[in-house]
Amino acid sequence: MQHETEASLVGHEYEVEVGPVAHGGHCVARTDAGRVLFVRHALPGERVVARVTEGESTSRFLRADAVQILEASKDRVEAPCPFSGPGKCGGCDWQHAKPGAQRRLKGEVIAEQLMRLAGLTPEEAGWDGTVVPADGDKLPAGEVPAWRTRVQYAVDAEGHAGLRKHRSHDVEIIDRCLIAAPGVSELGVEKREWPQMASVEAIAASGSGDRQVILTPRPGGRLPIVELDKPVSVLRIGEKDKQVHPVHGRAFVRERADGRTYRVGEGGFWQVHPQAADMLVKAVMQGLMPRKGDMALDLYCGVGLFAGALAERIGDKGAVLGIESGKRAVEDARHNLKDLERVRIEQGKVEQVLPRTRIDEADIIVLDPPRAGAGKQTVRHLASLGARRIAYVACDPAALARDLAYFAEEGYKPVKLRAFDFFPMTHHVECVAILKPVAKEA
């Protein structure tokens, strides 16, 4: 029987030559026996000692950490963060790589996913192969951009705040997160004790001085009196309903993008990098080229970022329909866009609401789906609406590539793709693909 022959290989060490980067913040290596290792804290071309962190003798692949660097890449730097490294905080993947090398690695992952899942070369996807940093993030090796305006701290049994270790519930206690935005760091969450709490999320709006903490108590846990270094609103996650409830102060933060102010309630979704919202609006609008009188769709619309930008550009003869599943986000979107009469926001899942609207055509479409992507059914429906341009905003290159393959089956192809490094030090990357119907290229 199979389980009798399984033996854990955790702790086993292999000396390996590190191969290419893979999606997920690690590189691929093979042992002398041909066994595949996914190695974190390594870089392509290095020779390392890799210690197994997950896997058995029968596993298809093993996960490992590079615990000794025998031959270093020229792209390697000393990790600026003392909490980064094998067995430590799992928040960052590439602290040990120069900033330019991080962007190259992300570009290689995008290229690999496009080819493997969509059969597209960068040229065929309309992409120049670069991953663009946000303004101000081009820093020398060894310096870290402080970009993360939302940080979810885990709390250990003693009430100390930290960040989770990679693929683990264990907490790495920290005194400071280098990628946290100044507005988060200045709250001083790490210096306080959080008895009976499971997690503390800190939010520092970049569009205003609004600060927020969202507390998740342990079962039966009582809320502490929150005294932080700056004025802050306090919210809590209900034990039974898992909903966010205001405790003290505002239930929302105010963000700004494209000249408008957006209310984002109760920990709702907003781009985490301070410049991401503006840069994405610019990329989407340049790609869609809205015209006066257009009928536009904004799918997975959140608090209405793209719907607002579209409405400003298509004028009072155009119309925008936004669809969003989150109840609170829909309330916020309706509030944020209440001055724009030609915008309607519907609540529900895109694949359910869109057919119910009986809309059978649209001029331009923007979609910003969750990490899993839009999926074949939704892509097929969108393609049937005959839009002259579709903008697809993606936080996962694998999901983007899968959906681009579905779009290709329906007669749409990417004409421009851009990639943005809104998550420095991590493996995450944001893409915007502009699609056009193949027949209407002329």
Side-chain angles (χ1 to χ4, degrees), residues 21-358:
V21 65
H23 186 25
H26 46 250
C27 296
V28 182
R30 286 181 186 273
T31 67
D32 291 341
R35 185 181 282 281
V36 174
L37 298 180
F38 287 160
V39 189
R40 277 172 63 80
H41 310 291
L43 291 170
E46 292 188 326
R47 190 152 193 87
V48 305
V49 174
R51 182 181 296 150
V52 176
T53 56
E54 262 180 71
E56 279 133 8
S57 53
T58 55
S59 302
R60 227 162 33 89
F61 60 84
L62 306 173
R63 294 183 183 276
D65 280 338
V67 292
Q68 201 181 336
I69 312 303
L70 305 175
E71 291 171 27
S73 161
K74 63 179 180 6
D75 291 325
R76 177 173 284 276
V77 291
E78 191 72 35
C81 176
F83 307 108
S84 173
K88 297 183 183 178
C89 170
C92 290
D93 306 292
W94 300 119
Q95 287 262 354
H96 58 287
K98 291 176 181 173
Q102 293 182 33
R103 292 191 286 274
R104 276 202 313 280
L105 292 170
K106 294 182 192 199
E108 286 168 24
V109 168
I110 296 167
E112 191 260 338
Q113 298 295 313
L114 285 172
M115 179 48 71
R116 192 165 64 84
L117 299 171
L120 292 170
T121 64
E123 294 74 23
E124 288 166 338
W127 178 43
D128 65 4
T130 63
V131 176
V132 180
D135 298 336
D137 278 0
K138 271 198 129 171
L139 296 172
E143 287 186 41
V144 177
W147 56 271
R148 197 172 182 93
T149 58
R150 294 166 173 239
V151 177
Q152 178 124 22
Y153 297 91
V155 180
D156 72 3
E158 281 75 55
H160 301 125
L163 297 168
R164 293 210 184 277
K165 296 181 179 181
H166 183 61
R167 293 175 63 82
S168 165
H169 290 294
D170 296 343
V171 181
E172 175 80 19
I173 303 305
I174 65 169
D175 54 25
R176 183 174 165 227
C177 173
L178 289 188
I179 64 172
V184 169
S185 296
E186 68 188 18
L187 292 175
V189 170
E190 304 97 331
K191 295 187 293 194
R192 301 287 187 282
E193 295 205 345
W194 302 94
Q196 302 180 53
M197 293 301 105
S199 70
V200 179
E201 184 175 11
I203 298 171
S206 47
S208 65
D210 296 347
R211 306 281 180 267
Q212 205 176 67
V213 295
I214 303 175
L215 305 176
T216 305
R218 293 183 186 278
R222 293 183 53 191
L223 288 188
I225 292 171
V226 178
E227 291 178 341
L228 290 169
D229 294 352
K230 294 282 174 182
V232 66
S233 298
V234 180
L235 299 93
R236 64 183 278 276
I237 306 285
E239 191 176 324
K240 290 196 172 68
D241 64 7
K242 303 299 178 205
Q243 299 298 308
V244 186
H245 302 278
V247 175
H248 158 79
R250 278 200 192 101
F252 58 85
V253 297
R254 292 161 300 176
E255 297 283 6
R256 271 190 77 73
D258 194 44
R260 291 184 71 86
T261 298
Y262 288 84
R263 182 181 88 182
V264 185
E266 298 175 356
F269 177 78
W270 186 261
Q271 287 288 339
V272 180
H273 193 291
Q275 292 179 49
D278 268 324
M279 289 177 73
L280 288 173
V281 166
K282 189 175 175 187
V284 166
M285 296 305 136
Q286 282 176 345
L288 288 179
M289 295 193 289
R291 300 172 189 164
K292 297 291 182 195
D294 271 345
M295 166 60 200
L297 295 178
D298 178 7
L299 308 178
Y300 317 92
C301 71
V303 299
L305 173 65
F306 297 118
L310 285 165
E312 300 273 12
R313 289 160 174 82
I314 63 180
D316 54 11
K317 296 251 182 333
V320 182
L321 171 68
I323 301 177
E324 165 60 40
S325 61
K327 193 161 165 255
R328 179 60 206 246
V330 167
E331 287 171 22
D332 285 335
R334 287 172 178 162
H335 168 86
N336 294 333
L337 308 175
K338 62 181 185 286
D339 60 313
L340 300 166
E341 289 177 8
R342 305 289 291 160
V343 177
R344 189 170 106 236
I345 308 291
E346 295 283 345
Q347 194 213 328
K349 294 189 168 167
V350 168
E351 63 270 24
Q352 292 166 359
V353 174
L354 192 54
R356 282 208 307 266
T357 63
R358 295 208 155 57

